[in-house]
Amino acid sequence: MEITKQINKDLILREKLALQRTTLANQSTFLSFLRTSMYFLIAGLSLKNVIKVENSILFEIMLFGASFAIFTIGCMNYVKHKKSIASNKKHIGEYQLEYYEF
């Protein structure tokens, strides 16, 4: 019986660490979306000074739109995966209840 309890504690620890890694990966992915969005925003802001084109305002608007779209997709992706991670914290087999009884 003692070996089974130790195995259950090890499983709980592994699962908890896996959820933490998944949370950190989700945050890292959101920051990547944010960084890419900022690159497009900066490109739109600096386009007029770098390139002398007649209709540069169209390119600026396209870059601003792409920046906003990437940021919006990144936010939706982060929230979606955060909810998924939160719902997966419940462990099948009720090992968490057994772990906290000690």
Side-chain angles (χ1 to χ4, degrees), residues 21-72:
R21 282 191 302 270
T22 306
T23 302
L24 291 173
N26 189 31
Q27 292 171 354
S28 176
T29 303
F30 173 69
L31 291 174
S32 296
F33 273 103
L34 181 63
R35 180 184 62 225
T36 305
S37 173
M38 289 175 56
Y39 286 155
F40 276 90
L41 181 67
I42 291 170
L45 290 173
S46 62
L47 186 67
K48 189 181 284 186
N49 296 331
V50 175
I51 299 174
K52 303 291 184 191
V53 179
E54 289 180 19
N55 296 329
S56 66
I57 190 75
L58 294 175
F59 292 117
E60 291 175 17
I61 292 171
M62 287 183 355
L63 288 170
F64 291 150
S67 173
F68 180 73
I70 291 170
F71 180 72
T72 305

